[in-house]
Amino acid sequence: MEDAVARVSGSGKNRGHVARVPKQPGELPRTGLRLGDVARLLLVWMVSSGALAIADVLFEEMIAEAWWAYLAATAVAGVLGLVVRPALAVMATRIGWLAVLLAGLVGQAVLVYVAIWLAPGITASFWSAFWASWIVAGVGTATAWLTSAGTDDSFTASLVRRKVESEPVADPDIDGVVFVQLDGVAFPVLRWAIQAGGVPTLRRWVTSGDYVLREWTAQLPCTTPASQLGILHGTTAGVPAFRWYDRELGRVLIANRPGDAAIIEQRAATGRGLLADDGLALGNLFTGDAPRAILTMSRLGASRGSPAARHTFAWFLTNPQGFTRSVVRTVAEVAKERWQAARQKRLNVLPRVHRGWTFAGLRAATNVLQRDLNTAVIAEEMRKGTKSIYADYVDYDEIAHHAGMFRPESLAALDGLDRVLATLERLAVHAARRYHIVVLSDHGQSQGQTFRDRFGADLGDLCTQLMHQDVNLLAAPVETWGRVESLAGDLSGSGLTGRAAGRAAAASSRHVSQDAEAEADVSVLGSGNLGLLYVHSATRLTLEDLQQRWPNLIPGLCAHEGIGFIAGLDSAGLPWAIGAGGSHRLDTGEVTGEDPLRMYGNHAARVLRRAVVMPEAPDLYLNSRVDDVTLDVAAFEPLVGAHGGLGGWQDRAILLVPRVLAHVLPDEQIEGADRVHSVLVEMLRAVGQRRTLPNPSAVPRLQDPDVNMSS
C-alpha cells in the first residue's frame, strides 16, 4: 500500500506514472455518482420543495394547484442551474469577477423565480415569487452545506469533477513539482505541531519516511520580499526590508505595491528564475520568471484581469459547492475572528494587539477566498500538466501576526493548511503528469509585546527625541492590504465590473502606500523588530556622519533598554554592530567589550554583515532586544507575531522534501533564500526540468555580497 502521494518508486527512471495516495476507504475523492449523492440530491429536492410550500403559506399572491407543483418548480430550478452556471463562468472571463459575485448572491433566487414561472400548476406575482425564491435558495443551500458542501472531501471531489480543456502534455516523462509556501511557519512551531498530532497529513508524510523535514536559516531581513526574491530569483540583494527608502528613486519602495514589486523583480530577474520552465506563480510577490502568474504582485500592473484566474474564480462562485462553501466560511471566519479577539481581551491574554473589524474582513478574504482559490487554480494547472507551480498560502502568518504564534486560532490555521496539503495530495492522482509536493516557509515568526506598548513611545518618537527634529515613521502593517489588492486586481476584467474591481484594488494600493508619501528629511521604517533609519540623501551616511550631525542618536539608541544593537558602516566602509556594552566588527568577528550579538545566534554576524554592506541598506539598522528566557522581541510595528530582524524563531524556516528528491539537500545547514533557490533548482533538474531554458538575460543580476558564505 502506498502511504503518500509524493512517494514514488524510483529517482526518475520510471517517470510517467501517476502519483498515488493511500487506498484506504474514504481517502480518495470519488468522481462517479454514488448512492449517497443520489440520497443527498433527493433530500435537497424534498427540503427545497417543502420550503416552497411554506412560502406559499406566507405569500397570498402565490397559488399552487397541488403538492406536486412544488416538486416540479424546484426540479425545474435545478435543471436551470445546470444549464446557466457554465454560461455564467464563460461570461465572467469577459466582464469580470464582480458580476459573477453578484450572480452568486442573487442568481439562485432568480433561477427559482423563473422556475416558478415555467413550472405547471403554480403561479405567483413577481415579488411573492422573488421573496419565495430567497427562502427556497436559503433552505436548499443550507441543506447542501450541512450534508456535504462544507467538507474538504466534497470540495476536492468538485475540483476533480471539473472539466478542464487542455492539450495532452508533450513530455509526460518529466515530473512536475508543486512548491507550497506556508508563509511564516517557524520550524519549531511545525515540529511541535507534528509531535502533537495536530497536522495529520504532515505527520504521516514525515513519520512514514516519505518526506524529509529540514530547517533552513532565513537571511536578514527575514521578510517575505527578501525570501521570495531569493527563493524564486536566486538573489536577496537589493531588499533591505519589507519597505525602504530607495536612494536611486528618491522615495519609499513597498514590496507589496504592484509598481514597486515590478521594479524590485526587474532589478533581480535573469530569465532563469525557479519557474522559468513552464511554471506558474500563484499568490506571490514575484514571478520567478514564470511565463504565467496569477494573483502575483509584480505582474498586476501589466496583466491585470487574467482570464485564467477569472474563469477559475467564476467556476468557483457559480458552483454550489464553491459558492455555499465560500459564503458560509467567510461569514464564519469574520464571526470567529471577532469572538477570538474578544476572548483574548476578556482573558487578558498578553501580549496582544487590537483586532478590529477591518482585520476580520481582511482575514476572511485571505484565509477563505484566497486559500480556496489557490487550491482551485493548482488543481486546474495540475490537470493541464504545468511543470512547476509556486503558491503562497498566507493563513498562518496573517493570524499569528495579530494573535501570536501558538494561540489556538493560529494553530487552527496551520491545521487548515494541513488539510490543503491533503487536498493537493488527492488531486495529484488525476494530474496530467506525476507531481512531487515540496513544502517550505519563507521565514518564521517571533513574539512579544510591541515596542510602543512596552516602552511608551514608538521608534519614531525615540529618534525624534534624540535627533531634535521631526522624523517620519512608517510602521503600519501593510502585508494584508497588498494580498487583498492582488485578489481584487488580478480577478478584475475589462468591463464595467472589472473597472469597479480595479478601483477597489487601487483603493487598497492607496491604503498600502499612504504612509510612504510624507515629506521628511529623515524616515524611520519598521519591519517587525527590525528598524531602518534613512536620511533622505543620494549618498549613505556613515556612523561618523551620524555621530557628527546628531551626537545623541547612536549613544541614545544603544543605551535604550528596548534596543539590542544598531548596525552601520564606518567611514572606511567597515560594517559594525554596536550595543550598550560593546561592539562587533562584522567582517572580522573582532569584539570589543560585551558582544551585542551574543543573544542572536552564531549566524547573526554573517547574516547581519550581508545586510549592512548592501548598497540599499539604511544609514542605520536597529534591532530590538531579545529576552534571554522567553525569546520575546519588541516589534516596531503593531504586531504580536513579527519577523524581519534577529531574535527568537523568526529566521528558522522549514523545508519539507519528498524522500526521492532529498538527495539534492546539502549536508550543512542551508543559510539564505538564495541557497534554497539553488537546492530547489537541483530538484527540478532531478525530475527532468530546466533542460530547454533560453540563455540567461544579457542584463546582469544584482550580486549578493558573500553569496557563498553559507556553504
Side-chain angles (χ1 to χ4, degrees):
M1 179 184 299
E2 295 292 334
D3 291 319
V5 68
R7 189 169 188 172
V8 292
S9 58
S11 60
K13 296 179 181 180
N14 299 315
R15 297 189 188 97
H17 300 290
V18 176
R20 300 185 182 276
V21 298
K23 296 183 179 178
Q24 299 173 5
E27 289 200 14
L28 285 178
R30 297 172 58 182
T31 59
L33 190 63
R34 297 174 290 182
L35 181 61
D37 297 326
V38 176
R40 190 177 300 112
L41 179 62
L42 291 174
L43 176 62
V44 173
W45 185 21
M46 294 296 106
V47 171
S48 298
S49 300
L52 189 59
I54 294 174
D56 188 6
V57 175
L58 296 176
F59 302 108
E60 295 181 356
E61 295 84 359
M62 180 179 292
I63 302 173
E65 297 178 2
W67 61 268
W68 53 262
Y70 306 127
L71 296 174
T74 51
V76 172
V79 173
L80 286 175
L82 293 175
V83 174
V84 172
R85 288 188 188 100
L88 285 176
V90 173
M91 182 175 61
T93 63
R94 295 178 172 84
I95 65 174
W97 68 270
L98 190 58
V100 183
L101 180 61
L102 293 175
L105 291 173
V106 303
Q108 183 69 18
V110 173
L111 287 177
V112 174
Y113 168 70
V114 174
I116 292 175
W117 182 65
L118 292 176
I122 185 170
T123 59
S125 67
F126 173 80
W127 286 112
S128 62
F130 183 81
W131 293 117
S133 68
W134 278 99
I135 296 174
V136 174
V139 172
T141 53
T143 303
W145 169 262
L146 292 174
T147 54
S148 72
T151 66
D152 291 312
D153 183 73
S154 179
F155 181 53
T156 304
S158 69
L159 294 175
V160 172
R161 286 194 298 264
R162 184 188 176 200
K163 294 182 179 180
V164 177
E165 296 182 2
S166 61
E167 298 293 331
V169 296
D171 48 7
D173 59 317
I174 296 178
D175 291 358
V177 181
V178 179
F179 301 101
V180 180
Q181 178 178 304
L182 305 184
D183 206 299
V185 178
F187 177 80
V189 172
L190 182 62
R191 183 174 56 185
W192 178 88
I194 291 174
Q195 291 171 339
V199 283
T201 303
L202 290 168
R203 178 182 174 87
R204 170 169 52 84
W205 287 2
V206 172
T207 58
S208 68
D210 290 334
Y211 271 75
V212 175
L213 177 61
R214 288 278 298 270
E215 176 180 356
W216 70 275
T217 303
Q219 69 294 313
L220 186 75
C222 52
T223 61
T224 298
S227 288
Q228 275 202 355
L229 194 71
I231 293 169
L232 294 173
H233 290 279
T235 179
T236 60
V239 183
F242 194 95
R243 53 191 163 188
W244 66 94
Y245 179 81
D246 188 277
R247 298 184 180 91
E248 178 183 345
L249 299 176
R251 65 175 179 85
V252 171
L253 281 178
I254 303 177
N256 66 350
R257 190 163 58 178
D260 292 354
I263 292 173
I264 298 167
E265 179 172 325
Q266 184 180 22
R267 291 173 174 178
T270 65
R272 295 179 63 86
L274 181 68
L275 306 176
D277 189 4
D278 185 33
L280 172 77
L282 176 60
N284 304 321
L285 292 176
F286 311 113
T287 68
D289 291 319
R292 293 177 299 119
I294 297 175
L295 305 176
T296 295
M297 196 60 63
S298 63
R299 287 275 180 91
L300 286 188
S303 61
R304 174 163 289 169
S306 86
R310 296 201 311 274
H311 191 274
T312 300
F313 196 56
W315 168 86
F316 179 74
L317 280 185
T318 57
N319 185 298
Q321 295 276 356
F323 174 68
T324 307
R325 174 187 173 95
S326 63
V327 169
V328 174
R329 291 178 70 232
T330 296
V331 173
E333 192 77 8
V334 172
K336 182 168 61 176
E337 162 56 28
R338 297 304 298 148
W339 181 81
Q340 290 168 342
R343 181 185 61 180
Q344 271 200 349
K345 187 174 182 180
R346 183 177 68 255
L347 299 178
N348 195 29
V349 174
L350 296 174
R352 72 172 186 270
V353 293
H354 173 68
R355 296 156 60 178
W357 283 97
T358 299
F359 170 65
L362 295 175
R363 168 178 164 177
T366 57
N367 291 24
V368 175
L369 288 178
Q370 189 161 359
R371 178 203 285 184
D372 283 349
L373 182 58
N374 276 1
T375 305
V377 171
I378 293 174
E380 180 172 338
E381 295 299 321
M382 288 197 295
R383 295 281 289 276
K384 292 179 179 178
T386 301
K387 288 183 180 177
S388 57
I389 305 166
Y390 192 102
D392 186 5
Y393 285 85
V394 303
D395 309 42
Y396 172 85
D397 186 64
E398 186 57 45
I399 295 179
H401 273 317
H402 295 81
M405 298 187 302
F406 278 111
R407 302 286 160 74
E409 48 265 54
S410 304
L411 296 178
L414 191 57
D415 290 341
L417 293 173
D418 183 81
R419 293 191 295 273
V420 168
L421 294 174
T423 297
L424 298 180
E425 180 182 58
R426 296 175 178 184
L427 292 171
V429 175
H430 305 274
R433 65 173 82 242
R434 186 173 63 183
Y435 278 94
H436 307 275
I437 301 175
V438 176
V439 182
L440 71 161
S441 62
D442 49 345
H443 50 73
Q445 281 202 23
S446 298
Q447 186 170 293
Q449 190 177 12
T450 68
F451 189 88
R452 182 183 183 88
D453 289 346
R454 185 171 180 180
F455 302 107
D458 58 37
L459 188 58
D461 296 332
L462 176 60
C463 291
T464 295
Q465 178 184 357
L466 295 173
M467 300 174 77
H468 301 291
Q469 72 173 69
D470 291 336
V471 172
N472 181 37
L473 174 67
L474 287 77
V478 295
E479 285 189 78
T480 309
W481 281 103
R483 292 160 181 163
V484 171
E485 178 178 6
S486 71
L487 186 62
D490 208 11
L491 296 174
S492 60
S494 57
L496 177 63
T497 59
R499 290 193 295 271
R503 287 193 293 270
S508 68
S509 181
R510 287 193 296 272
H511 183 94
V512 168
S513 59
Q514 65 183 359
D515 64 348
E517 307 303 332
E519 295 294 334
D521 294 329
V522 179
S523 288
V524 174
L525 303 94
S527 185
N529 75 318
L530 182 70
L532 300 88
L533 186 148
Y534 284 94
V535 178
H536 293 194
S537 169
T539 59
R540 180 177 178 179
L541 299 188
T542 66
L543 294 171
E544 289 87 349
D545 293 334
L546 294 171
Q547 181 67 27
Q548 182 178 5
R549 294 179 64 173
W550 298 284
N552 296 327
L553 178 63
I554 293 178
L557 290 174
C558 291
H560 192 279
E561 60 177 325
I563 303 296
F565 63 84
I566 59 101
L569 296 177
D570 66 12
S571 57
L574 302 177
W576 291 87
I578 305 172
S583 60
H584 187 132
R585 181 172 161 178
L586 299 174
D587 59 334
T588 64
E590 175 187 351
V591 175
T592 302
E594 182 181 350
D595 186 0
L597 302 180
R598 179 180 61 86
M599 288 299 302
Y600 299 93
N602 296 330
H603 65 292
R606 294 193 302 272
V607 298
L608 181 58
R609 177 180 180 270
R610 291 184 65 177
V612 170
V613 302
M614 191 185 304
E616 294 79 8
D619 302 301
L620 207 61
Y621 269 124
L622 308 94
N623 200 98
S624 81
R625 187 179 301 278
V626 58
D627 189 281
D628 58 355
V629 176
T630 64
L631 299 182
D632 279 6
V633 300
F636 300 121
E637 299 175 285
L639 301 172
V640 173
H643 53 86
L646 292 172
W649 294 346
Q650 57 189 307
D651 54 3
R652 301 185 64 181
I654 64 170
L655 181 59
L656 187 65
V657 180
R659 174 73 63 179
V660 70
L661 298 178
H663 64 279
V664 306
L665 294 173
D667 294 332
E668 72 276 4
Q669 174 86 352
I670 299 174
E671 186 174 289
D674 47 1
R675 183 73 174 110
V676 175
H677 170 84
S678 300
V679 172
L680 299 184
V681 166
E682 288 304 312
M683 292 182 190
L684 294 177
R685 290 197 178 103
V687 300
Q689 297 190 34
R690 303 187 69 86
R691 295 176 179 173
T692 59
L693 283 182
N695 292 328
S697 171
V699 180
R701 187 182 68 197
L702 290 172
Q703 295 298 314
D704 287 325
D706 297 338
V707 69
N708 296 318
M709 181 182 300
S710 62
S711 58

